[in-house]
Amino acid sequence: RISFLPPFESGGIGMTMTGEDGQYSVNGLEDGEYNVSVTEFQSTNYSTSYQVHGSATFDYDYKTGSLHGRVIDVSSNEPLANAAVFLRNTSKTLFRMPLSAVTDATGAFVVESVEPGSYSATARKDGYGVEVKEITVGDSAAQDVEFRLARN
């Protein structure tokens, strides 16, 4: 969702959704400065200001990264299926829902559309302990991480 919000004292609000091609259109905005926010998965991922003057094009490049990895048993080095991996953004002060993934039969997981920044990554599985790692995700190559969980 893309929102154009004016300063408190004037103007109208414009909201829209992008199409499958990433294009969007907002109509009926008065000239003036607007705060533009792009929201995905109930959290604001991008925010900037934009001066509206008649009809114009406003493009933005929204970059994300991904986190790939494995969760294995620390004693046997065997992969752990159905382990949960959670990412909590630690570089933002606003509350954001954590991103998550579940491992497959090979212990592998992928978390896509991760905003660049610092995260606390946690892996857990019933019958095993928990491992937490502090990681940084960029907007280019995927970050790889391995969690090693011990049985309780």
Side-chain angles (χ1 to χ4, degrees), residues 41-84:
F41 302 120
Q42 300 179 348
S43 63
T44 300
N45 297 314
Y46 174 85
S47 184
T48 190
S49 60
Y50 180 71
Q51 189 74 33
V52 172
H53 289 293
S55 181
T57 299
F58 177 66
D59 293 327
Y60 64 92
D61 189 13
Y62 178 66
K63 295 183 179 185
T64 61
S66 60
L67 179 71
H68 298 191
R70 289 186 41 186
V71 180
I72 61 173
D73 182 298
V74 70
S75 298
S76 67
N77 286 327
E78 292 294 318
L80 294 177
N82 300 314

mmCIF file of all heavy atoms in Angstrom, residues 41-84:
data_model
loop_
_atom_site.group_PDB
_atom_site.id
_atom_site.type_symbol
_atom_site.label_atom_id
_atom_site.label_comp_id
_atom_site.label_asym_id
_atom_site.label_seq_id
_atom_site.Cartn_x
_atom_site.Cartn_y
_atom_site.Cartn_z
ATOM 1 N N PHE A 41 3.050 -5.895 4.657
ATOM 2 C CA PHE A 41 2.914 -6.774 5.813
ATOM 3 C C PHE A 41 2.710 -5.994 7.101
ATOM 4 O O PHE A 41 3.318 -6.265 8.120
ATOM 5 C CB PHE A 41 4.120 -7.715 5.956
ATOM 6 C CG PHE A 41 4.347 -8.579 4.762
ATOM 7 C CD1 PHE A 41 5.535 -8.515 4.069
ATOM 8 C CD2 PHE A 41 3.376 -9.448 4.321
ATOM 9 C CE1 PHE A 41 5.760 -9.314 2.963
ATOM 10 C CE2 PHE A 41 3.585 -10.251 3.217
ATOM 11 C CZ PHE A 41 4.787 -10.181 2.535
ATOM 12 N N GLN A 42 1.891 -4.976 7.083
ATOM 13 C CA GLN A 42 1.477 -4.197 8.242
ATOM 14 C C GLN A 42 2.593 -3.391 8.891
ATOM 15 O O GLN A 42 2.498 -3.009 10.044
ATOM 16 C CB GLN A 42 0.812 -5.093 9.285
ATOM 17 C CG GLN A 42 -0.418 -5.792 8.750
ATOM 18 C CD GLN A 42 -1.047 -6.692 9.762
ATOM 19 O OE1 GLN A 42 -0.468 -6.981 10.800
ATOM 20 N NE2 GLN A 42 -2.232 -7.149 9.468
ATOM 21 N N SER A 43 3.675 -3.132 8.182
ATOM 22 C CA SER A 43 4.713 -2.267 8.729
ATOM 23 C C SER A 43 5.235 -1.351 7.632
ATOM 24 O O SER A 43 5.298 -1.729 6.476
ATOM 25 C CB SER A 43 5.866 -3.094 9.316
ATOM 26 O OG SER A 43 6.490 -3.847 8.313
ATOM 27 N N THR A 44 5.592 -0.121 7.995
ATOM 28 C CA THR A 44 6.095 0.837 7.017
ATOM 29 C C THR A 44 7.538 0.499 6.703
ATOM 30 O O THR A 44 8.392 0.466 7.574
ATOM 31 C CB THR A 44 5.987 2.275 7.561
ATOM 32 O OG1 THR A 44 4.616 2.547 7.822
ATOM 33 C CG2 THR A 44 6.534 3.272 6.561
ATOM 34 N N ASN A 45 7.797 0.224 5.428
ATOM 35 C CA ASN A 45 9.128 -0.163 5.003
ATOM 36 C C ASN A 45 9.902 0.971 4.351
ATOM 37 O O ASN A 45 11.105 0.893 4.213
ATOM 38 C CB ASN A 45 9.024 -1.328 4.016
ATOM 39 C CG ASN A 45 8.422 -2.542 4.665
ATOM 40 O OD1 ASN A 45 8.796 -2.901 5.762
ATOM 41 N ND2 ASN A 45 7.481 -3.167 3.993
ATOM 42 N N TYR A 46 9.187 1.993 3.915
ATOM 43 C CA TYR A 46 9.841 3.092 3.226
ATOM 44 C C TYR A 46 9.045 4.354 3.512
ATOM 45 O O TYR A 46 7.817 4.335 3.491
ATOM 46 C CB TYR A 46 9.859 2.826 1.721
ATOM 47 C CG TYR A 46 10.378 3.961 0.894
ATOM 48 C CD1 TYR A 46 11.741 4.114 0.682
ATOM 49 C CD2 TYR A 46 9.518 4.881 0.326
ATOM 50 C CE1 TYR A 46 12.223 5.171 -0.080
ATOM 51 C CE2 TYR A 46 9.987 5.929 -0.449
ATOM 52 C CZ TYR A 46 11.339 6.065 -0.651
ATOM 53 O OH TYR A 46 11.822 7.102 -1.400
ATOM 54 N N SER A 47 9.737 5.455 3.780
ATOM 55 C CA SER A 47 9.050 6.709 4.046
ATOM 56 C C SER A 47 9.934 7.864 3.584
ATOM 57 O O SER A 47 11.146 7.853 3.824
ATOM 58 C CB SER A 47 8.751 6.834 5.536
ATOM 59 O OG SER A 47 8.021 7.987 5.788
ATOM 60 N N THR A 48 9.316 8.834 2.916
ATOM 61 C CA THR A 48 10.033 10.017 2.457
ATOM 62 C C THR A 48 9.026 11.144 2.251
ATOM 63 O O THR A 48 7.830 10.938 2.401
ATOM 64 C CB THR A 48 10.801 9.739 1.135
ATOM 65 O OG1 THR A 48 11.663 10.830 0.847
ATOM 66 C CG2 THR A 48 9.850 9.517 -0.026
ATOM 67 N N SER A 49 9.499 12.321 1.909
ATOM 68 C CA SER A 49 8.573 13.412 1.584
ATOM 69 C C SER A 49 8.656 13.673 0.085
ATOM 70 O O SER A 49 9.672 13.402 -0.554
ATOM 71 C CB SER A 49 8.905 14.663 2.385
ATOM 72 O OG SER A 49 10.204 15.095 2.092
ATOM 73 N N TYR A 50 7.538 14.208 -0.462
ATOM 74 C CA TYR A 50 7.467 14.477 -1.894
ATOM 75 C C TYR A 50 6.610 15.712 -2.121
ATOM 76 O O TYR A 50 5.542 15.851 -1.530
ATOM 77 C CB TYR A 50 6.871 13.272 -2.629
ATOM 78 C CG TYR A 50 6.767 13.467 -4.120
ATOM 79 C CD1 TYR A 50 7.906 13.476 -4.917
ATOM 80 C CD2 TYR A 50 5.534 13.645 -4.728
ATOM 81 C CE1 TYR A 50 7.818 13.663 -6.282
ATOM 82 C CE2 TYR A 50 5.432 13.825 -6.104
ATOM 83 C CZ TYR A 50 6.576 13.832 -6.868
ATOM 84 O OH TYR A 50 6.494 14.019 -8.214
ATOM 85 N N GLN A 51 7.083 16.618 -2.972
ATOM 86 C CA GLN A 51 6.367 17.848 -3.297
ATOM 87 C C GLN A 51 5.508 17.590 -4.528
ATOM 88 O O GLN A 51 6.030 17.317 -5.608
ATOM 89 C CB GLN A 51 7.377 18.974 -3.561
ATOM 90 C CG GLN A 51 6.757 20.336 -3.698
ATOM 91 C CD GLN A 51 6.304 20.899 -2.358
ATOM 92 O OE1 GLN A 51 6.904 20.644 -1.330
ATOM 93 N NE2 GLN A 51 5.237 21.660 -2.385
ATOM 94 N N VAL A 52 4.185 17.655 -4.374
ATOM 95 C CA VAL A 52 3.249 17.431 -5.478
ATOM 96 C C VAL A 52 2.971 18.753 -6.172
ATOM 97 O O VAL A 52 2.632 19.746 -5.516
ATOM 98 C CB VAL A 52 1.924 16.809 -4.960
ATOM 99 C CG1 VAL A 52 0.875 16.759 -6.069
ATOM 100 C CG2 VAL A 52 2.170 15.423 -4.388
ATOM 101 N N HIS A 53 3.140 18.776 -7.499
ATOM 102 C CA HIS A 53 2.804 19.937 -8.342
ATOM 103 C C HIS A 53 2.154 19.394 -9.602
ATOM 104 O O HIS A 53 2.846 18.976 -10.525
ATOM 105 C CB HIS A 53 4.048 20.742 -8.728
ATOM 106 C CG HIS A 53 4.649 21.498 -7.600
ATOM 107 N ND1 HIS A 53 4.030 22.557 -6.988
ATOM 108 C CD2 HIS A 53 5.831 21.337 -6.964
ATOM 109 C CE1 HIS A 53 4.802 23.024 -6.025
ATOM 110 N NE2 HIS A 53 5.897 22.289 -5.985
ATOM 111 N N GLY A 54 0.836 19.377 -9.648
ATOM 112 C CA GLY A 54 0.128 18.874 -10.822
ATOM 113 C C GLY A 54 0.378 17.396 -11.026
ATOM 114 O O GLY A 54 0.588 16.640 -10.087
ATOM 115 N N SER A 55 0.418 16.989 -12.258
ATOM 116 C CA SER A 55 0.641 15.583 -12.608
ATOM 117 C C SER A 55 2.143 15.313 -12.634
ATOM 118 O O SER A 55 2.906 16.090 -13.197
ATOM 119 C CB SER A 55 0.030 15.295 -13.977
ATOM 120 O OG SER A 55 0.228 13.954 -14.313
ATOM 121 N N ALA A 56 2.551 14.222 -12.017
ATOM 122 C CA ALA A 56 3.981 13.919 -11.948
ATOM 123 C C ALA A 56 4.188 12.423 -11.770
ATOM 124 O O ALA A 56 3.262 11.674 -11.468
ATOM 125 C CB ALA A 56 4.624 14.673 -10.788
ATOM 126 N N THR A 57 5.412 12.022 -11.923
ATOM 127 C CA THR A 57 5.805 10.635 -11.691
ATOM 128 C C THR A 57 6.737 10.602 -10.492
ATOM 129 O O THR A 57 7.672 11.395 -10.404
ATOM 130 C CB THR A 57 6.539 10.062 -12.930
ATOM 131 O OG1 THR A 57 5.645 10.095 -14.039
ATOM 132 C CG2 THR A 57 6.991 8.642 -12.678
ATOM 133 N N PHE A 58 6.451 9.714 -9.572
ATOM 134 C CA PHE A 58 7.298 9.535 -8.393
ATOM 135 C C PHE A 58 7.677 8.065 -8.319
ATOM 136 O O PHE A 58 6.841 7.206 -8.057
ATOM 137 C CB PHE A 58 6.557 9.967 -7.123
ATOM 138 C CG PHE A 58 7.343 9.734 -5.861
ATOM 139 C CD1 PHE A 58 8.513 10.425 -5.614
ATOM 140 C CD2 PHE A 58 6.912 8.808 -4.923
ATOM 141 C CE1 PHE A 58 9.235 10.218 -4.460
ATOM 142 C CE2 PHE A 58 7.628 8.593 -3.757
ATOM 143 C CZ PHE A 58 8.791 9.296 -3.528
ATOM 144 N N ASP A 59 8.930 7.770 -8.625
ATOM 145 C CA ASP A 59 9.433 6.400 -8.579
ATOM 146 C C ASP A 59 10.294 6.219 -7.340
ATOM 147 O O ASP A 59 10.974 7.150 -6.899
ATOM 148 C CB ASP A 59 10.300 6.093 -9.806
ATOM 149 C CG ASP A 59 9.497 6.074 -11.095
ATOM 150 O OD1 ASP A 59 8.317 5.675 -11.046
ATOM 151 O OD2 ASP A 59 10.058 6.450 -12.139
ATOM 152 N N TYR A 60 10.265 5.049 -6.793
ATOM 153 C CA TYR A 60 11.166 4.703 -5.696
ATOM 154 C C TYR A 60 11.673 3.300 -5.923
ATOM 155 O O TYR A 60 11.028 2.482 -6.587
ATOM 156 C CB TYR A 60 10.475 4.828 -4.333
ATOM 157 C CG TYR A 60 9.330 3.873 -4.154
ATOM 158 C CD1 TYR A 60 9.516 2.625 -3.578
ATOM 159 C CD2 TYR A 60 8.059 4.218 -4.589
ATOM 160 C CE1 TYR A 60 8.460 1.742 -3.454
ATOM 161 C CE2 TYR A 60 7.007 3.345 -4.462
ATOM 162 C CZ TYR A 60 7.213 2.106 -3.898
ATOM 163 O OH TYR A 60 6.180 1.228 -3.774
ATOM 164 N N ASP A 61 12.857 3.034 -5.434
ATOM 165 C CA ASP A 61 13.485 1.728 -5.586
ATOM 166 C C ASP A 61 13.472 1.057 -4.225
ATOM 167 O O ASP A 61 14.213 1.459 -3.331
ATOM 168 C CB ASP A 61 14.914 1.909 -6.100
ATOM 169 C CG ASP A 61 15.560 0.596 -6.494
ATOM 170 O OD1 ASP A 61 14.839 -0.411 -6.594
ATOM 171 O OD2 ASP A 61 16.783 0.584 -6.690
ATOM 172 N N TYR A 62 12.617 0.083 -4.072
ATOM 173 C CA TYR A 62 12.445 -0.611 -2.802
ATOM 174 C C TYR A 62 13.293 -1.868 -2.815
ATOM 175 O O TYR A 62 13.022 -2.813 -3.549
ATOM 176 C CB TYR A 62 10.957 -0.937 -2.624
ATOM 177 C CG TYR A 62 10.635 -1.698 -1.386
ATOM 178 C CD1 TYR A 62 10.805 -1.121 -0.142
ATOM 179 C CD2 TYR A 62 10.160 -2.994 -1.452
ATOM 180 C CE1 TYR A 62 10.508 -1.826 1.006
ATOM 181 C CE2 TYR A 62 9.857 -3.693 -0.304
ATOM 182 C CZ TYR A 62 10.027 -3.111 0.916
ATOM 183 O OH TYR A 62 9.736 -3.807 2.045
ATOM 184 N N LYS A 63 14.377 -1.882 -2.042
ATOM 185 C CA LYS A 63 15.306 -3.002 -2.040
ATOM 186 C C LYS A 63 15.168 -3.797 -0.753
ATOM 187 O O LYS A 63 15.041 -3.223 0.323
ATOM 188 C CB LYS A 63 16.741 -2.502 -2.180
ATOM 189 C CG LYS A 63 17.023 -1.846 -3.495
ATOM 190 C CD LYS A 63 18.460 -1.440 -3.610
ATOM 191 C CE LYS A 63 18.709 -0.808 -4.957
ATOM 192 N NZ LYS A 63 20.102 -0.491 -5.169
ATOM 193 N N THR A 64 15.199 -5.096 -0.904
ATOM 194 C CA THR A 64 15.182 -5.982 0.255
ATOM 195 C C THR A 64 16.239 -7.055 0.061
ATOM 196 O O THR A 64 16.749 -7.257 -1.042
ATOM 197 C CB THR A 64 13.808 -6.664 0.433
ATOM 198 O OG1 THR A 64 13.525 -7.461 -0.711
ATOM 199 C CG2 THR A 64 12.707 -5.652 0.657
ATOM 200 N N GLY A 65 16.536 -7.741 1.128
ATOM 201 C CA GLY A 65 17.458 -8.857 1.082
ATOM 202 C C GLY A 65 16.739 -10.124 1.494
ATOM 203 O O GLY A 65 15.518 -10.150 1.628
ATOM 204 N N SER A 66 17.513 -11.164 1.688
ATOM 205 C CA SER A 66 16.931 -12.413 2.158
ATOM 206 C C SER A 66 17.915 -13.088 3.104
ATOM 207 O O SER A 66 19.103 -12.787 3.112
ATOM 208 C CB SER A 66 16.575 -13.332 0.995
ATOM 209 O OG SER A 66 17.712 -13.646 0.235
ATOM 210 N N LEU A 67 17.377 -13.975 3.895
ATOM 211 C CA LEU A 67 18.177 -14.745 4.847
ATOM 212 C C LEU A 67 17.966 -16.215 4.529
ATOM 213 O O LEU A 67 16.825 -16.676 4.462
ATOM 214 C CB LEU A 67 17.739 -14.438 6.288
ATOM 215 C CG LEU A 67 18.492 -15.197 7.365
ATOM 216 C CD1 LEU A 67 19.924 -14.689 7.483
ATOM 217 C CD2 LEU A 67 17.780 -15.064 8.699
ATOM 218 N N HIS A 68 19.057 -16.922 4.288
ATOM 219 C CA HIS A 68 19.017 -18.352 4.010
ATOM 220 C C HIS A 68 19.809 -19.043 5.102
ATOM 221 O O HIS A 68 20.735 -18.461 5.665
ATOM 222 C CB HIS A 68 19.700 -18.679 2.681
ATOM 223 C CG HIS A 68 19.056 -18.044 1.500
ATOM 224 N ND1 HIS A 68 19.378 -18.389 0.224
ATOM 225 C CD2 HIS A 68 18.107 -17.092 1.390
ATOM 226 C CE1 HIS A 68 18.668 -17.682 -0.624
ATOM 227 N NE2 HIS A 68 17.899 -16.880 0.062
ATOM 228 N N GLY A 69 19.496 -20.277 5.375
ATOM 229 C CA GLY A 69 20.299 -20.994 6.341
ATOM 230 C C GLY A 69 19.792 -22.386 6.616
ATOM 231 O O GLY A 69 18.909 -22.895 5.924
ATOM 232 N N ARG A 70 20.372 -22.957 7.668
ATOM 233 C CA ARG A 70 20.020 -24.308 8.096
ATOM 234 C C ARG A 70 19.941 -24.343 9.604
ATOM 235 O O ARG A 70 20.618 -23.585 10.297
ATOM 236 C CB ARG A 70 21.100 -25.303 7.674
ATOM 237 C CG ARG A 70 21.157 -25.573 6.215
ATOM 238 C CD ARG A 70 22.139 -26.669 5.896
ATOM 239 N NE ARG A 70 22.027 -27.738 6.877
ATOM 240 C CZ ARG A 70 22.819 -28.788 6.950
ATOM 241 N NH1 ARG A 70 23.808 -28.908 6.114
ATOM 242 N NH2 ARG A 70 22.657 -29.708 7.857
ATOM 243 N N VAL A 71 19.149 -25.278 10.090
ATOM 244 C CA VAL A 71 19.089 -25.563 11.513
ATOM 245 C C VAL A 71 19.446 -27.034 11.656
ATOM 246 O O VAL A 71 18.850 -27.895 10.999
ATOM 247 C CB VAL A 71 17.687 -25.290 12.103
ATOM 248 C CG1 VAL A 71 17.668 -25.599 13.585
ATOM 249 C CG2 VAL A 71 17.279 -23.835 11.852
ATOM 250 N N ILE A 72 20.467 -27.310 12.498
ATOM 251 C CA ILE A 72 20.928 -28.690 12.666
ATOM 252 C C ILE A 72 21.024 -29.047 14.149
ATOM 253 O O ILE A 72 21.083 -28.173 15.007
ATOM 254 C CB ILE A 72 22.300 -28.920 11.982
ATOM 255 C CG1 ILE A 72 23.385 -28.023 12.590
ATOM 256 C CG2 ILE A 72 22.207 -28.702 10.480
ATOM 257 C CD1 ILE A 72 24.779 -28.314 12.082
ATOM 258 N N ASP A 73 21.047 -30.357 14.409
ATOM 259 C CA ASP A 73 21.243 -30.887 15.757
ATOM 260 C C ASP A 73 22.726 -30.752 16.086
ATOM 261 O O ASP A 73 23.584 -31.217 15.322
ATOM 262 C CB ASP A 73 20.803 -32.360 15.791
ATOM 263 C CG ASP A 73 20.930 -32.981 17.158
ATOM 264 O OD1 ASP A 73 22.080 -33.055 17.686
ATOM 265 O OD2 ASP A 73 19.906 -33.411 17.701
ATOM 266 N N VAL A 74 23.048 -30.127 17.203
ATOM 267 C CA VAL A 74 24.442 -29.857 17.564
ATOM 268 C C VAL A 74 25.241 -31.143 17.800
ATOM 269 O O VAL A 74 26.437 -31.186 17.524
ATOM 270 C CB VAL A 74 24.536 -28.905 18.784
ATOM 271 C CG1 VAL A 74 24.074 -29.586 20.049
ATOM 272 C CG2 VAL A 74 25.929 -28.336 18.942
ATOM 273 N N SER A 75 24.596 -32.197 18.275
ATOM 274 C CA SER A 75 25.308 -33.450 18.571
ATOM 275 C C SER A 75 25.540 -34.309 17.339
ATOM 276 O O SER A 75 26.632 -34.854 17.152
ATOM 277 C CB SER A 75 24.528 -34.272 19.596
ATOM 278 O OG SER A 75 24.418 -33.554 20.802
ATOM 279 N N SER A 76 24.528 -34.446 16.502
ATOM 280 C CA SER A 76 24.615 -35.372 15.370
ATOM 281 C C SER A 76 24.897 -34.681 14.034
ATOM 282 O O SER A 76 25.168 -35.363 13.041
ATOM 283 C CB SER A 76 23.305 -36.145 15.240
ATOM 284 O OG SER A 76 22.257 -35.258 14.859
ATOM 285 N N ASN A 77 24.802 -33.366 13.988
ATOM 286 C CA ASN A 77 24.904 -32.594 12.744
ATOM 287 C C ASN A 77 23.815 -32.953 11.738
ATOM 288 O O ASN A 77 23.933 -32.637 10.562
ATOM 289 C CB ASN A 77 26.287 -32.725 12.102
ATOM 290 C CG ASN A 77 27.327 -31.931 12.855
ATOM 291 O OD1 ASN A 77 27.041 -30.881 13.413
ATOM 292 N ND2 ASN A 77 28.543 -32.452 12.875
ATOM 293 N N GLU A 78 22.751 -33.598 12.192
ATOM 294 C CA GLU A 78 21.616 -33.934 11.332
ATOM 295 C C GLU A 78 20.712 -32.702 11.197
ATOM 296 O O GLU A 78 20.561 -31.927 12.145
ATOM 297 C CB GLU A 78 20.815 -35.103 11.917
ATOM 298 C CG GLU A 78 21.557 -36.427 11.899
ATOM 299 C CD GLU A 78 21.801 -36.927 10.476
ATOM 300 O OE1 GLU A 78 20.881 -36.817 9.632
ATOM 301 O OE2 GLU A 78 22.923 -37.405 10.220
ATOM 302 N N PRO A 79 20.092 -32.546 10.032
ATOM 303 C CA PRO A 79 19.181 -31.410 9.851
ATOM 304 C C PRO A 79 17.940 -31.552 10.721
ATOM 305 O O PRO A 79 17.495 -32.658 11.011
ATOM 306 C CB PRO A 79 18.812 -31.475 8.373
ATOM 307 C CG PRO A 79 19.096 -32.864 7.945
ATOM 308 C CD PRO A 79 20.185 -33.378 8.833
ATOM 309 N N LEU A 80 17.398 -30.419 11.145
ATOM 310 C CA LEU A 80 16.175 -30.402 11.945
ATOM 311 C C LEU A 80 15.037 -29.834 11.109
ATOM 312 O O LEU A 80 15.038 -28.645 10.762
ATOM 313 C CB LEU A 80 16.361 -29.570 13.213
ATOM 314 C CG LEU A 80 17.349 -30.128 14.232
ATOM 315 C CD1 LEU A 80 17.504 -29.162 15.404
ATOM 316 C CD2 LEU A 80 16.890 -31.491 14.725
ATOM 317 N N ALA A 81 14.070 -30.694 10.785
ATOM 318 C CA ALA A 81 12.882 -30.264 10.058
ATOM 319 C C ALA A 81 11.900 -29.620 11.027
ATOM 320 O O ALA A 81 11.897 -29.922 12.222
ATOM 321 C CB ALA A 81 12.229 -31.453 9.363
ATOM 322 N N ASN A 82 11.077 -28.719 10.509
ATOM 323 C CA ASN A 82 10.017 -28.054 11.272
ATOM 324 C C ASN A 82 10.516 -27.215 12.443
ATOM 325 O O ASN A 82 9.788 -27.021 13.410
ATOM 326 C CB ASN A 82 8.972 -29.067 11.749
ATOM 327 C CG ASN A 82 8.320 -29.780 10.589
ATOM 328 O OD1 ASN A 82 7.929 -29.134 9.624
ATOM 329 N ND2 ASN A 82 8.242 -31.093 10.665
ATOM 330 N N ALA A 83 11.732 -26.715 12.348
ATOM 331 C CA ALA A 83 12.226 -25.750 13.334
ATOM 332 C C ALA A 83 11.764 -24.362 12.881
ATOM 333 O O ALA A 83 11.657 -24.095 11.681
ATOM 334 C CB ALA A 83 13.751 -25.790 13.426
ATOM 335 N N ALA A 84 11.458 -23.507 13.824
ATOM 336 C CA ALA A 84 11.004 -22.148 13.511
ATOM 337 C C ALA A 84 12.170 -21.175 13.624
ATOM 338 O O ALA A 84 12.969 -21.257 14.557
ATOM 339 C CB ALA A 84 9.887 -21.741 14.462
#
